[in-house]
Amino acid sequence: MMHFIGSLILFCLAFNACADSKITQQLNKPVPGGVAVVDLGRAVQIPKASYQSRPVLVVKEQSNWLAIVGIPLTVKPGIQQISSNGHNFNFTVANKKYPEQRITLKNKRMVNPESADLKRIEAERAVLIQGYRTFNTVTPSNVLLDKPVNGPLSSKFGVRRFFNGEERNPHSGLDFAVPTGTPVKTPADGKVILVGNYFFNGNTVYVDHGQGFISMFCHLSKIDVLVGQSLVRGEFVGKVGSTGRATGPHLHWNISLNETRVDPAIFIGAFQP
């Protein structure tokens, strides 16, 4: 009998040690461009957390609070640290190598913009960055997301991109190869914080899901929402197109956490190490 009880206790301890939450199991991909899920423990009120001096998304699952941390592509493998309520919490970033992608564009201005284009691009960049800095206290309705469209992935996050042989910034989102006019839905409740037409992104919508957790949808043929509009998970924001710097119709979807673009594949269970 004592042997049985002892075995049961050991089993329970082993199970609890391995029984990570659903959020941790799916989202904890601590690589450059990935996400770290850091257990902040128990507290009566939601704790505040920060990483690289920026506020971090915090959600509760079961009895513990979890920090959902976006890791920049530029971070080197090794120990990183977040702060929360006067305490420091470490997490380890592993290595990840991203592939290359070579793209040919007929419109050469999309590779080497003219001087007037550059002025427009700089003005637009300031607006887009400001949108990513949005941070409020609303807790996201969900952090395990639906796909915004159903279709095959045509370009992964993080790939080193060469346009007409010239290297540009790594791919900051996930591309879905779907036809023009395909409806695009928001993968979580949110508020529309930005709508516009931009040089590279084309017709674009930002949806703020809460606490700096933001979706960006680009290259749309049509926008069906207005700034300030509240959306419920699954509502449509617009239709797929090929506006901006695009070789054909597709949806480009960005996810931003703590002002950092991270791999959207993580949130839909499609991450590949």
Side-chain angles (χ1 to χ4, degrees), residues 21-41:
S21 70
K22 270 190 174 181
I23 290 174
T24 301
Q25 288 176 0
Q26 181 165 321
L27 300 190
N28 190 45
K29 313 297 180 188
V31 297
V35 173
V37 179
V38 182
D39 192 332
L40 302 179

Side-chain angles (χ1 to χ4, degrees), residues 10-238:
L10 288 174
F11 172 80
C12 290
L13 289 173
F15 177 80
N16 288 333
C18 297
D20 287 336
S21 70
K22 270 190 174 181
I23 290 174
T24 301
Q25 288 176 0
Q26 181 165 321
L27 300 190
N28 190 45
K29 313 297 180 188
V31 297
V35 173
V37 179
V38 182
D39 192 332
L40 302 179
R42 300 185 180 190
V44 175
Q45 295 182 327
I46 181 170
K48 293 182 179 180
S50 63
Y51 173 59
Q52 296 184 341
S53 301
R54 295 170 178 168
V56 166
L57 168 65
V58 176
V59 298
K60 190 175 186 180
E61 188 170 46
Q62 299 171 7
S63 301
N64 286 23
W65 295 100
L66 304 175
I68 315 297
V69 186
I71 306 169
L73 271 170
T74 53
V75 165
K76 303 298 183 184
I79 302 297
Q80 293 288 304
Q81 191 174 81
I82 69 168
S83 300
S84 178
N85 292 356
H87 300 283
N88 294 326
F89 297 81
N90 291 342
F91 63 92
T92 302
V93 177
N95 189 38
K96 179 174 171 61
K97 185 175 182 179
Y98 291 95
E100 295 182 0
Q101 182 181 37
R102 298 183 180 273
I103 301 168
T104 300
L105 294 174
K106 293 181 180 179
N107 185 351
K108 295 182 180 180
R109 283 174 58 193
M110 288 294 173
V111 181
N112 296 296
E114 298 173 357
S115 58
D117 299 328
L118 291 172
K119 291 182 180 178
R120 175 186 172 184
I121 291 165
E122 283 303 309
E124 291 177 352
R125 182 179 289 121
V127 173
L128 296 169
I129 289 174
Q130 191 60 40
Y132 283 130
R133 288 177 177 161
T134 301
F135 193 95
N136 58 55
T137 58
V138 174
T139 298
S141 62
N142 52 287
V143 292
L144 307 181
L145 304 179
D146 303 321
K147 292 180 180 180
V149 295
N150 289 319
L153 301 180
S154 58
S155 184
K156 298 177 182 178
F157 172 89
V159 297
R160 293 177 58 199
R161 296 184 303 172
F162 295 80
F163 291 100
N164 297 358
E166 298 185 34
E167 186 169 12
R168 294 295 183 264
N169 290 332
H171 194 223
S172 62
L174 202 61
D175 287 353
F176 293 85
V178 289
T180 297
T182 301
V184 179
K185 64 184 180 181
T186 178
D189 294 358
K191 183 177 181 180
V192 180
I193 57 171
L194 185 146
V195 166
N197 179 273
Y198 301 97
F199 187 82
F200 289 126
N201 296 346
N203 292 328
T204 299
V205 174
Y206 276 29
V207 177
D208 174 18
H209 303 302
Q211 294 189 56
F213 186 32
I214 295 169
S215 283
M216 178 177 77
F217 309 97
C218 296
H219 308 306
L220 303 176
S221 61
K222 183 182 179 184
I223 295 172
D224 293 323
V225 292
L226 300 172
V227 170
Q229 184 175 340
S230 294
L231 300 173
V232 175
R233 178 182 184 177
E235 279 196 77
F236 295 124
V237 301

